[in-house]
Amino acid sequence: MSWDFFVPVCVGDLVKTGGINQYVVQDVVPPKQLAPHLGKFKAALRSQGPTCILEHFDTGYSVLKQCNLVDVDVKEDTFELLVQVVSGLAASLPALLLSTSISAAERKEKLNAVKMSVYLLCKLTETFESDSNRQNFVTAPGKGGKKGKGGVEGLLQWDSERERVLQAFIQLLQLDIRSLWSLSLVEEEFTSCVTCCCYKLLENPTISHVKSKPTRDGIIHLLGVLIKKYNHLLGASVKVIQLLQHFEQLSSVFAQAVSVWSTEYGVRAIIGEVIREIGQRSSEELAREGSGVKAFSSFIAELGSLVPELMIPNISVLITHLEGESHTMRVAVCEVLGEILVRVLCGDKLDESGKADRDRFFDTLQEHLHDTHSHVRARVLQVYARIVNSKALPLCKYSEVMELAVGRLMDKSINAVKSAIQLLAAFIALNPYSCKLSSADLQKPLGKETAKLRGMKARLEGKAPVATIKASELWAAMEPELLVTVLAEMEPTGETKKVDEDRDVEEDQEAENDRATAVKVAQYLRVNKYRNAARLCIRAHSCFPQSKMFASLSTLTPETLMGTLALIFKGSDEDTAELSQNLPPTPQKDAEEEQGEDGELKKQEMLVQYLKDTETFALQVERAISVINTMLYWKTTSVVQEAVQFCVTVCEFSVANSVSGVRKMLPLVWSTDAAIKDAVVQAYRRLYLNPQGENIRVKAHTLVDSLSELMVDASLGTIQCLEEIVQEFFSSGSHLQSTVVQVLWERFTGKRETSGLHRRAAVLLLGMAARAEREVVLSNLDTLCSVALGEKVTEDFLLARDAVLTICSITDHVRQSKGAPFRLPQDHQLFTCLTQAIAEGVVMEDPYWQTFMQQAVRLVYFLAESPDQLCSRLLQRSARLLLDQIAEGAELNKDASQLQDGSQESNEQVNCVCLAQLLALCGCVAFWQVSHLERSVSAELRRRRGETEEREEKEKAPSSKAKQTASESAMEEELGLMGASAEDTEAELIRKICETELLAEENLLCAFLPLLVRVCSSPGRYSHPQLTTAACLALSQYMMISPSVCEENIRLMFTVLERSPLPVVRANAIIALGDLTVRFPNILEPWTQNLYARLSDEVPSVRQTAVTVLTQLVLKDVLKVKGQVSEVAVLLIDPECHITTLALNFFNELASKDNAIYNLLPDIISRLSDPERGMTSEDFNTIMKQLFSYITKERQTESLVEKLCQRFRTAKTERQWCDLATSLSLLSMCERGFKRLQECWECYSDKLTEPGVYQPLLAITAKLRRGAKAQFKAQVDEFEKLLTAVHTRGLENVESPEMDEENPKEGSSERTAMRTPLPTRGRARSKRGQAKASTACYANDSFVTPPKSRKPKQPLITFSSDEEEDEEDAVMAESETPKVTTPIARTSRRARLRN
């Protein structure tokens, strides 16, 4: 073979004249003649094998060249032949490559066959892929349309065919075909041909889908072979970056590819190349590449999750992006750091370098918890949550990160707040400290262990530190000096030696044996008495010649003497132990003891530090709880769900105050958001309704215990919410139901010893169960009566009250049913017990009797037959008992005259309490009697009427069909009128009973009304607080009976409201008057001002009650919203935060009504800026800032600007001018509002000399200038100049001729614009209702301050205990009573009865 095949750059290059020995296509076969040529190709493939491509290359090339003109069948056949050729080459080449005797011609032949077949198959694959993408794009299904057929026409299985191509290429290129090229240098064009085909396949939009996984894996492995064997490393890294810029969906594909190339193919350098390319891109480049940044960030994050250990060498390149502007890149880098910390730099086996990197990465993450972008902050919190969940956070970082997470709870971003809550929940669930976190419980053990540590340190400080020195080291130190002494001793004078010998006689006699002598020698050496030691050692040899210690001294020389001394001091191996017992203490003696004490000290320090860390952690958790509990009522559903889950987590770990959050989220069971309601129900089910235990009995006890703890000290609202949870539990058919009910009855009846609180909780839980299953209580009614309402009822009225509430639960089913009402006879045991308990309690002083009485009377009216008769006898009996008690007290006073003064006072107090309880009973009976008539009796009348009508309808003979059809409409109208007439008759009957019969002379209720009026109107005589409170409340309940009673006593009730010295009486009066306003609105309407006056009461509890009642009345449209709302606005700055919250809630709800606050604002401003009120400017600004936040519409703003400007004309004081100007500055003014401000120039221009007017208007121009267009900005600048000129020089000087001369350049038109006179357009027209043209500027304003109205004469009322005869003076005079000015339309009685 004399020619070589060179892979062309373009397809058309092969038909051009090539170089020497270069293959050129000789004949391009026309499309119509391709079929026979393909037949020859197939035959040659069968006979010659894959090398037939050398002869039939032109046929394949013709199909490729004319692909758009060739039939599909021809293209499919060509494709199939080329795949077979490549596969055949992959099968035949291994034997050839292993052969050592291959010729050059054969090698060239195989090389050309490989290049030709690979080239044709790659190009044809690219063509098919382009056609497939184009076809998918054309047939892409529209919204709601059917999915079109994908792939090339005729090649419907292109996905599987694509995989065959990739497998054929992989099989071929995995062989070492580089040896076919000279010097094994594969030409770049051949490699590019295959890689271009791979990258073309990657451009498919569906390549990242699950269904494309085989194709995706094939491409990745094929590119891996090319990178490893064919020098495609740099090309691949560049191509990855290029494709990521244009195809965002390839981020996960390339992350998987790079991880495979670096791990399975061992090409780790590819990560460095790609990361370096991304890291070198500047912030400006990333800002220009919109989708490219997203793709880069996704790629980095995914790659970090796949191979985090390989990212560490390149992390320094990525960290530079943390300072860039792209927040998505910052997120990606932080996620990579998180993966590294979780999977690589974790555990206790890190070296110093690893620990340093770990700490550095943690510091970087902590910095970005305060990132400027909320998305980054949220993702970093999520990264920390994963670190904590993986237990990869070092203990030393817990407190620091915990504090940062608590701080993020205040983040403005919802996602950041949610992530912070999740992180805190992970901290608590996986905390390394304790399963129960309570700072209060930790204080005692911490104090105890801290004191113990302090004592240990004090003991150690008392001991002098001793250096530990070995005997050998001491010998080495003393040896030189000792040697000098020994040498001197060996040559003494005769006299000295004799004197010394005489001196040591006693010492020689004291030594009993050689060992004692050795000890003495050692002691001399230790105290530096070297001479004595040497002499004693010499004499010891003569005294103990047989001793082994001194045997060496038989030949006395300095060397033998030094050796003997050394042996004695350091000790031989066998004598050291014995000598050490007799030697004085040495540093070695105390070493072990000191080490033991140091170890104990370190253990104690670690224990104290652990307790401190635990306490710090618990305090941080408690702080987080207080913040997250406030999020339970946010408007964002997802935040509320996270807060609920957090409350569950902290409750499971017994964190202090965790139950507060669980109770606070309980009202959310009434939420209209199904997701929130379900989250709360699931939370309570997890905490309380899924108990753990060995058997059903244990589980039931656990469940009852947990629910009982929740109900202890719970408010009424909490109990009502808990009913919903418990009712759902008993309705769910749980296998624990029967056992739980049994345990509750055991606790209530006292079969199991339990506290009074838990007995009450048990009976309340039984009532909740009865709402789901009525028979739970109804079948045990006798048990309830005997246990809670029996002989010992007076000992525990709270248990009796809760038992009554439980019995009331069965009446819910009665009221919901449409059948005859379920009632018990009057002589039933239940009513016998109730009436006896109520009557006996009247003459007792039990503080809980009244709550029991209210529920008992309610139950009587719900369940008893003829409850009015029963209650009448009850009142008679109670009054008789009270009279008997008074009579007995009078007799005792007569018998004990010597103690008359003291006993009289005591008896009077007792009588007042008992009288108060009797009056409270009267009021309660009156209230429930009215309720019984308007609800139960009215409902029963309707039911009986309905039954009668149905019975009459059935008794009527059926009329003819035609006649019935003809008169159908007339009959319906007649029946409708008849039904309405019947309802009105029933309502009139009820009204007549209330008006005439309830307070008739023969009715016992009537007997108490004069007493109530007298007690309320005579505060001097009846000054007992409990009596006054009960009388006022009972009188208000009597006033609910009929309009006549209400009108007769309304002045007295308002007198009590304004003049009573008791805050509880005033608060009760407000509530009662609110109810009366709903019932009799026309009677109460003239007294509205008096209700609003209580908003300024000096007692916070009264103000709180007043704002609560008025909020309900206003929002339910019972009271008209007028200028008195300014009194509610004042509460926005109330010193009590809960009152401020109520006022804020009032305006939030009022803002939902159309234009309500907008209509009220001018009057509110006028009232609050009134000099007589004396409000400071700071308080005024605070209130107005809140109120103006509700003005969001541009037209409202424009209208308010005009109205406030017109108010300048009627404002009389400088303070009012300043307040109006401040109000204008608080508006979110736009261009139209500014135009209106200019038009009203004459209203406020003469007030601009005041700084309080000038500065706010100047602030308006500053706000308008921000972001304004050039033309509008120029107008604002001119207006500002005019403001400044008038402020500094005065209005007259600015508008004088001298001012005009000073500004000769300004034209007349500009001067006219600056002076901004009122425009004539729309102003010259006369408006309806305007009499004078002079009032044209403000006659359109509905908020012009009205003229001063004559103030009503203040009633003169004095409370004095000295008044006996003229007690009625305490009531307002008739002339002081407000008159009805505006009748209020109210709904018909029939409609109210339906409700």
Side-chain angles (χ1 to χ4, degrees):
M1 181 179 292
S2 58
W3 51 267
D4 292 320
F5 180 82
F6 293 96
V7 178
V9 177
C10 299
V11 176
D13 292 347
L14 285 173
V15 296
K16 300 176 182 177
T17 303
I20 301 174
N21 296 331
Q22 182 177 347
Y23 180 85
V24 178
V25 175
Q26 301 297 327
D27 183 20
V28 178
V29 182
K32 295 183 179 180
Q33 301 177 12
L34 280 172
H37 284 78
L38 284 177
K40 295 178 182 179
F41 193 176
K42 289 180 183 178
L45 180 61
R46 285 194 295 270
S47 60
Q48 301 176 17
T51 55
C52 68
I53 189 68
L54 299 173
E55 300 176 2
H56 297 276
F57 176 82
D58 291 0
T59 302
Y61 178 80
S62 300
V63 174
L64 179 64
K65 180 76 173 177
Q66 307 169 94
C67 194
N68 295 331
L69 305 175
V70 177
D71 294 337
V72 175
D73 294 338
V74 173
K75 289 191 283 188
E76 288 182 351
D77 292 343
T78 307
F79 177 80
E80 184 65 28
L81 289 172
L82 290 173
V83 172
Q84 293 179 13
V85 169
V86 173
S87 300
L89 286 171
S92 61
L93 278 176
L96 179 67
L97 295 174
L98 293 174
S99 175
T100 56
S101 60
I102 181 173
S103 63
E106 192 175 1
R107 180 181 290 107
K108 180 184 290 188
E109 177 184 341
K110 294 294 183 183
L111 178 59
N112 287 333
V114 167
K115 292 196 288 186
M116 285 179 167
S117 58
V118 168
Y119 172 74
L120 286 178
L121 185 56
C122 285
K123 293 303 178 183
L124 198 59
T125 300
E126 290 180 24
T127 303
F128 285 166
E129 183 67 19
S130 299
D131 293 342
S132 174
N133 293 339
R134 191 181 308 113
Q135 187 74 11
N136 288 335
F137 178 76
V138 172
T139 60
K143 187 176 182 182
K146 294 183 178 179
K147 189 175 181 180
K149 292 184 179 180
V152 186
E153 184 183 358
L155 287 174
L156 299 181
Q157 302 298 326
W158 173 237
D159 290 342
S160 59
E161 297 297 329
R162 192 189 290 124
E163 296 168 22
R164 286 183 60 206
V165 174
L166 293 171
Q167 291 301 323
F169 281 146
I170 291 173
Q171 291 174 6
L172 176 63
L173 296 176
Q174 277 181 340
L175 304 174
D176 193 12
I177 61 174
R178 291 175 295 178
S179 58
L180 297 177
W181 278 268
S182 60
L183 301 178
S184 298
L185 295 176
V186 181
E187 57 194 76
E188 186 178 348
E189 290 80 2
F190 176 80
T191 305
S192 299
C193 179
V194 182
T195 56
C196 287
C197 178
C198 293
Y199 295 130
K200 181 68 176 179
L201 294 178
L202 285 175
E203 294 177 8
N204 192 321
T206 63
I207 193 66
S208 59
H209 295 181
V210 176
K211 66 177 183 180
S212 302
K213 186 177 186 303
T215 303
R216 189 167 62 243
D217 292 343
I219 297 172
I220 290 172
H221 286 289
L222 179 56
L223 288 173
V225 172
L226 292 168
I227 291 171
K228 185 175 183 179
K229 294 186 176 182
Y230 297 90
N231 199 24
H232 184 57
L233 175 62
L234 293 178
S237 61
V238 173
K239 200 66 179 178
V240 166
I241 299 299
Q242 290 177 351
L243 289 177
L244 283 175
Q245 290 176 343
H246 298 92
F247 301 96
E248 187 177 342
Q249 73 273 12
L250 291 180
S251 57
S252 60
V253 177
F254 276 131
Q256 180 187 354
V258 172
S259 67
V260 170
W261 299 338
S262 60
T263 54
E264 296 184 16
Y265 291 91
V267 189
R268 296 193 173 187
I270 187 69
I271 294 181
E273 293 294 334
V274 175
I275 296 299
R276 193 176 301 112
E277 286 288 336
I278 296 175
Q280 289 175 353
R281 294 184 176 269
S282 63
S283 299
E284 292 76 13
E285 289 179 304
L286 293 174
R288 289 196 300 268
E289 302 169 3
S291 62
V293 178
K294 294 182 179 179
F296 287 152
S297 60
S298 300
F299 168 76
I300 291 171
E302 185 108 7
L303 185 61
S305 66
L306 293 172
V307 284
E309 65 280 356
L310 300 182
M311 297 291 287
I312 296 178
N314 307 289
I315 197 67
S316 59
V317 180
L318 291 177
I319 284 182
T320 57
H321 285 296
L322 290 175
E323 306 299 328
E325 297 180 1
S326 173
H327 70 275
T328 53
M329 289 298 293
R330 297 202 298 273
V331 167
V333 177
C334 289
E335 289 183 346
V336 171
L337 293 177
E339 289 293 334
I340 293 173
L341 291 169
V342 168
R343 296 168 56 184
V344 183
L345 299 179
C346 60
D348 300 329
K349 299 181 180 179
L350 293 176
D351 56 10
E352 293 301 322
S353 175
K355 290 180 180 179
D357 290 340
R358 181 192 65 187
D359 294 341
R360 183 161 53 90
F361 293 166
F362 271 120
D363 292 341
T364 303
L365 286 177
Q366 288 180 20
E367 290 175 3
H368 287 275
L369 280 174
H370 301 286
D371 196 279
T372 55
H373 202 283
S374 61
H375 185 55
V376 181
R377 298 195 298 271
R379 293 300 288 271
V380 172
L381 288 166
Q382 293 170 14
V383 168
Y384 265 114
R386 186 166 185 274
I387 292 172
V388 173
N389 286 324
S390 302
K391 299 181 180 179
L393 185 67
L395 194 60
C396 58
K397 294 284 185 180
Y398 258 73
S399 178
E400 188 176 356
V401 178
M402 184 77 173
E403 185 176 358
L404 291 172
V406 174
R408 286 299 96 203
L409 292 174
M410 308 297 182
D411 203 294
K412 294 182 179 179
S413 168
I414 294 298
N415 289 330
V417 172
K418 286 163 47 182
S419 301
I421 296 175
Q422 292 170 354
L423 174 57
L424 290 171
F427 265 121
I428 296 169
L430 298 169
N431 80 87
Y433 298 110
S434 173
C435 61
K436 292 187 177 182
L437 296 169
S438 174
S439 59
D441 295 340
L442 288 168
Q443 288 178 356
K444 185 176 180 180
L446 177 59
K448 178 181 177 182
E449 298 300 332
T450 304
K452 184 178 178 181
L453 176 62
R454 201 178 295 116
M456 294 175 67
K457 287 183 175 180
R459 287 197 305 272
L460 287 178
E461 288 175 358
K463 296 181 179 180
V466 180
T468 302
I469 305 175
K470 296 181 180 179
S472 58
E473 296 176 352
L474 287 173
W475 174 259
M478 70 173 67
E479 188 175 8
E481 187 178 353
L482 179 60
L483 180 59
V484 173
T485 304
V486 167
L487 293 175
E489 187 65 24
M490 294 295 291
E491 300 175 357
T493 61
E495 294 181 0
T496 305
K497 187 174 180 180
K498 184 177 180 179
V499 172
D500 293 338
E501 287 177 358
D502 294 339
R503 189 185 305 163
D504 295 334
V505 171
E506 295 181 0
E507 295 179 0
D508 296 339
Q509 293 175 353
E510 291 177 1
E512 299 177 355
N513 53 34
D514 58 344
R515 291 189 178 277
T517 304
V519 171
K520 194 70 174 176
V521 171
Q523 290 176 350
Y524 282 147
L525 291 174
R526 290 184 184 280
V527 296
N528 298 330
K529 292 183 178 182
Y530 303 142
R531 186 180 301 278
N532 293 343
R535 290 175 180 176
L536 182 58
C537 189
I538 294 171
R539 293 183 63 82
H541 174 66
S542 59
C543 295
F544 311 106
Q546 305 298 325
S547 176
K548 295 181 179 180
M549 292 184 186
F550 306 104
S552 61
L553 293 177
S554 57
T555 304
L556 185 62
T557 61
E559 290 78 10
T560 56
L561 183 56
M562 287 293 292
T564 303
L565 291 173
L567 177 64
I568 293 173
F569 184 78
K570 293 190 291 184
S572 62
D573 294 339
E574 61 272 13
D575 296 335
T576 301
E578 295 185 19
L579 288 174
S580 62
Q581 297 177 359
N582 301 319
L583 294 178
T586 61
Q588 295 92 331
K589 300 290 183 179
D590 300 330
E592 294 182 1
E593 182 180 351
E594 290 179 3
Q595 289 179 359
E597 291 181 354
D598 288 343
E600 291 297 325
L601 180 64
K602 289 180 180 178
K603 289 181 181 179
Q604 189 65 22
E605 288 177 344
M606 292 173 64
L607 176 59
V608 171
Q609 187 62 43
Y610 167 78
L611 290 174
K612 286 182 178 179
D613 292 343
T614 307
E615 184 189 32
T616 303
F617 184 79
L619 289 171
Q620 289 172 335
V621 171
E622 291 167 12
R623 178 185 163 205
I625 290 173
S626 62
V627 178
I628 294 176
N629 284 351
T630 62
M631 300 178 184
L632 288 169
Y633 292 92
W634 281 19
K635 295 181 180 179
T636 309
T637 302
S638 56
V639 173
V640 176
Q641 289 175 312
E642 293 295 341
V644 168
Q645 292 301 318
F646 178 82
C647 290
V648 173
T649 302
V650 296
C651 188
E652 289 177 337
F653 280 84
S654 303
V655 181
N657 300 327
S658 60
V659 180
S660 63
V662 175
R663 285 184 176 177
K664 191 171 183 179
M665 73 181 180
L666 191 52
L668 293 175
V669 297
W670 309 108
S671 174
T672 55
D673 193 325
I676 295 176
K677 179 178 180 180
D678 184 62
V680 175
V681 172
Q682 293 299 328
Y684 271 85
R685 185 173 297 161
R686 173 178 164 186
L687 287 174
Y688 299 107
L689 303 180
N690 288 329
Q692 303 297 322
E694 300 175 357
N695 50 50
I696 294 180
R697 182 80 179 175
V698 175
K699 290 182 179 179
H701 274 288
T702 305
L703 188 149
V704 172
D705 287 337
S706 57
L707 288 178
S708 299
E709 289 295 333
L710 191 63
M711 295 189 66
V712 171
D713 298 330
S715 64
L716 180 61
T718 301
I719 293 175
Q720 289 177 346
C721 297
L722 192 60
E723 285 179 2
E724 187 78 6
I725 304 290
V726 177
Q727 185 176 347
E728 182 175 343
F729 168 73
F730 280 100
S731 303
S732 62
S734 172
H735 64 283
L736 290 174
Q737 285 183 13
S738 58
T739 312
V740 168
V741 170
Q742 182 180 354
V743 171
L744 289 173
W745 280 114
E746 290 175 358
R747 292 198 176 191
F748 169 67
T749 56
K751 291 182 180 180
R752 297 179 64 90
E753 292 186 5
T754 183
S755 64
L757 288 175
H758 286 87
R759 287 186 69 191
R760 289 169 47 204
V763 73
L764 286 174
L765 289 171
L766 285 170
M768 297 176 189
R771 296 185 185 277
E773 184 57 44
R774 177 182 173 186
E775 293 301 320
V776 170
V777 170
L778 194 58
S779 60
N780 295 279
L781 199 55
D782 294 340
T783 305
L784 276 169
C785 293
S786 60
V787 175
L789 304 173
E791 298 177 355
K792 298 182 179 181
V793 63
T794 56
E795 298 177 4
D796 192 351
F797 278 115
L798 285 178
L799 180 63
R801 179 201 65 186
D802 294 340
V804 170
L805 287 171
T806 297
I807 299 173
C808 280
S809 63
I810 66 175
T811 64
D812 292 344
H813 301 275
V814 177
R815 292 198 296 271
Q816 292 172 5
S817 63
K818 296 183 179 179
F822 171 78
R823 290 189 177 270
L824 299 175
Q826 292 185 13
D827 57 353
H828 192 276
Q829 180 190 0
L830 172 63
F831 304 123
T832 305
C833 295
L834 285 177
T835 53
Q836 182 176 355
I838 293 173
E840 292 178 357
V842 168
V843 293
M844 298 175 61
E845 296 188 39
D846 195 303
Y848 304 113
W849 172 85
Q850 188 164 343
T851 58
F852 159 72
M853 177 270 297
Q854 292 170 352
Q855 298 301 327
V857 173
R858 173 173 173 259
L859 179 60
V860 168
Y861 275 98
F862 278 173
L863 277 183
E865 290 284 357
S866 303
D868 50 345
Q869 300 175 7
L870 197 61
C871 287
S872 178
R873 292 195 296 270
L874 173 61
L875 283 175
Q876 192 172 6
R877 181 178 178 182
S878 301
R880 175 56 57 192
L881 287 174
L882 180 58
L883 291 173
D884 292 344
Q885 186 192 53
I886 295 173
E888 292 176 4
E891 292 178 1
L892 291 175
N893 290 341
K894 292 178 181 179
D895 297 339
S897 57
Q898 66 277 13
L899 300 175
Q900 183 175 2
D901 296 338
S903 65
Q904 183 178 359
E905 182 180 356
S906 175
N907 193 47
E908 183 183 354
Q909 293 295 328
V910 172
N911 289 339
C912 284
V913 173
C914 296
L915 180 59
Q917 295 183 156
L918 179 61
L919 296 181
L921 176 60
C922 295
C924 192
V925 170
F927 176 81
W928 284 111
Q929 182 64 44
V930 175
S931 176
H932 173 69
L933 287 171
E934 295 194 349
R935 292 186 179 181
S936 301
V937 175
S938 181
E940 179 62 14
L941 290 174
R942 286 199 303 273
R943 187 189 67 81
R944 292 181 181 180
R945 175 167 50 82
E947 289 182 352
T948 303
E949 291 176 356
E950 289 179 5
R951 188 167 55 252
E952 291 176 355
E953 193 71 26
K954 291 179 181 179
E955 291 176 356
K956 286 182 181 179
S959 58
S960 63
K961 212 170 192 179
K963 187 176 181 181
Q964 182 179 0
T965 306
S967 60
E968 185 176 355
S969 59
M971 287 179 64
E972 287 180 357
E973 292 179 4
E974 185 179 354
L975 288 173
L977 291 173
M978 288 175 60
S981 176
E983 287 187 5
D984 288 340
T985 302
E986 294 164 2
E988 184 62 25
L989 174 63
I990 301 297
R991 188 195 66 77
K992 186 176 180 180
I993 293 173
C994 292
E995 186 73 33
T996 61
E997 296 184 16
L998 285 188
L999 294 178
E1001 292 183 0
E1002 63 273 10
N1003 197 318
L1004 193 59
L1005 284 175
C1006 178
F1008 293 96
L1009 181 57
L1011 178 59
L1012 290 173
V1013 173
R1014 183 157 185 82
V1015 172
C1016 292
S1017 59
S1018 306
R1021 175 175 296 177
Y1022 306 100
S1023 58
H1024 191 277
Q1026 187 174 344
L1027 177 60
T1028 306
T1029 304
C1032 293
L1033 192 57
L1035 179 60
S1036 66
Q1037 291 170 327
Y1038 265 78
M1039 292 169 66
M1040 298 286 287
I1041 293 177
S1042 67
S1044 60
V1045 180
C1046 182
E1047 287 180 347
E1048 290 172 1
N1049 299 283
I1050 190 67
R1051 284 192 300 117
L1052 174 59
M1053 186 56 63
F1054 273 100
T1055 302
V1056 171
L1057 174 65
E1058 294 184 1
R1059 306 300 170 84
S1060 175
L1062 300 176
V1064 64
V1065 173
R1066 299 201 298 274
N1068 286 345
I1070 292 171
I1071 299 172
L1073 290 168
D1075 293 338
L1076 288 169
T1077 303
V1078 176
R1079 186 165 175 81
F1080 307 119
N1082 288 333
I1083 297 176
L1084 271 294
E1085 195 273 338
W1087 300 88
T1088 303
Q1089 182 64 37
N1090 301 74
L1091 283 176
Y1092 277 103
R1094 288 305 94 204
L1095 293 171
S1096 57
D1097 197 282
E1098 64 274 7
V1099 179
S1101 61
V1102 180
R1103 295 200 301 274
Q1104 179 180 353
T1105 305
V1107 71
T1108 304
V1109 170
L1110 288 171
T1111 298
Q1112 295 298 319
L1113 294 177
V1114 169
L1115 296 181
K1116 291 181 178 179
D1117 295 326
V1118 179
L1119 280 183
K1120 290 185 177 180
V1121 183
K1122 297 182 179 179
Q1124 297 98 333
V1125 178
S1126 61
E1127 301 298 331
V1128 184
V1130 175
L1131 296 183
L1132 290 171
I1133 56 172
D1134 197 274
E1136 301 293 331
C1137 59
H1138 57 280
I1139 297 178
T1140 304
T1141 304
L1142 289 173
L1144 185 61
N1145 180 63
F1146 170 82
F1147 284 107
N1148 288 338
E1149 296 295 332
L1150 191 62
S1152 61
K1153 296 179 178 290
D1154 292 338
N1155 299 332
I1157 295 182
Y1158 159 73
N1159 292 332
L1160 293 168
L1161 264 175
D1163 278 349
I1164 292 176
I1165 294 172
S1166 295
R1167 288 172 180 265
L1168 295 184
S1169 60
D1170 190 345
E1172 294 183 3
R1173 178 176 289 276
M1175 179 177 288
T1176 63
S1177 57
E1178 292 79 7
D1179 292 343
F1180 180 85
N1181 294 347
T1182 303
I1183 296 172
M1184 288 299 110
K1185 188 175 296 184
Q1186 178 61 41
L1187 294 182
F1188 276 109
S1189 67
Y1190 301 111
I1191 305 300
T1192 56
K1193 297 179 181 178
E1194 185 175 345
R1195 296 190 63 180
Q1196 290 180 345
T1197 303
E1198 181 184 357
S1199 178
L1200 278 174
V1201 169
E1202 182 177 2
K1203 291 177 180 179
L1204 292 176
C1205 289
Q1206 300 297 344
R1207 292 270 170 160
F1208 276 102
R1209 296 181 182 274
T1210 57
K1212 298 180 180 179
T1213 63
E1214 297 176 359
R1215 169 63 193 278
Q1216 289 177 317
W1217 302 344
C1218 298
D1219 288 345
L1220 288 171
T1222 302
S1223 302
L1224 283 171
S1225 67
L1226 293 174
L1227 283 168
S1228 299
M1229 202 173 297
C1230 56
E1231 189 170 349
R1232 291 172 58 181
F1234 173 68
K1235 184 179 179 182
R1236 191 56 57 91
L1237 184 66
Q1238 287 181 309
E1239 292 172 356
C1240 298
W1241 167 261
E1242 293 183 357
C1243 297
Y1244 56 85
S1245 57
D1246 56 335
K1247 281 87 174 175
L1248 285 173
T1249 52
E1250 292 293 329
V1253 179
Y1254 169 70
Q1255 292 296 338
L1257 294 179
L1258 204 62
I1260 294 176
T1261 60
K1263 287 193 293 186
L1264 289 171
R1265 195 181 291 108
R1266 297 175 196 152
K1269 296 181 180 178
Q1271 183 177 1
F1272 179 62
K1273 193 173 182 180
Q1275 297 177 9
V1276 174
D1277 290 340
E1278 290 180 7
F1279 183 71
E1280 183 176 345
K1281 291 178 181 177
L1282 182 60
L1283 288 175
T1284 306
V1286 174
H1287 173 66
T1288 55
R1289 304 178 188 178
L1291 182 63
E1292 297 80 3
N1293 295 332
V1294 172
E1295 294 181 345
S1296 62
E1298 290 81 5
M1299 185 66 185
D1300 296 339
E1301 291 176 3
E1302 290 177 8
N1303 300 281
K1305 295 182 181 180
E1306 295 183 359
S1308 60
S1309 60
E1310 293 180 356
R1311 189 160 55 248
T1312 303
M1314 289 183 64
R1315 292 180 60 182
T1316 60
L1318 291 176
T1320 57
R1321 181 181 178 182
R1323 294 283 178 176
R1325 300 177 188 173
S1326 62
K1327 295 186 178 181
R1328 187 170 58 188
Q1330 293 181 0
K1332 297 181 180 180
S1334 60
T1335 61
C1337 58
Y1338 56 87
N1340 187 34
D1341 190 358
S1342 60
F1343 293 102
V1344 175
T1345 304
K1348 274 194 173 182
S1349 60
R1350 183 181 178 186
K1351 292 186 178 181
K1353 187 178 179 181
Q1354 294 294 330
L1356 223 55
I1357 299 177
T1358 58
F1359 287 177
S1360 174
S1361 57
D1362 298 332
E1363 296 176 354
E1364 295 290 338
E1365 301 297 330
D1366 300 335
E1367 286 295 332
E1368 294 296 334
D1369 291 343
V1371 185
M1372 289 183 180
E1374 183 68 29
S1375 59
E1376 300 167 348
T1377 306
K1379 304 300 181 185
V1380 177
T1381 56
T1382 307
I1384 298 178
R1386 53 181 301 192
T1387 57
S1388 66
R1389 180 178 296 276
R1390 180 173 69 252
R1392 292 202 311 277
L1393 290 176
R1394 286 175 182 163
N1395 297 331

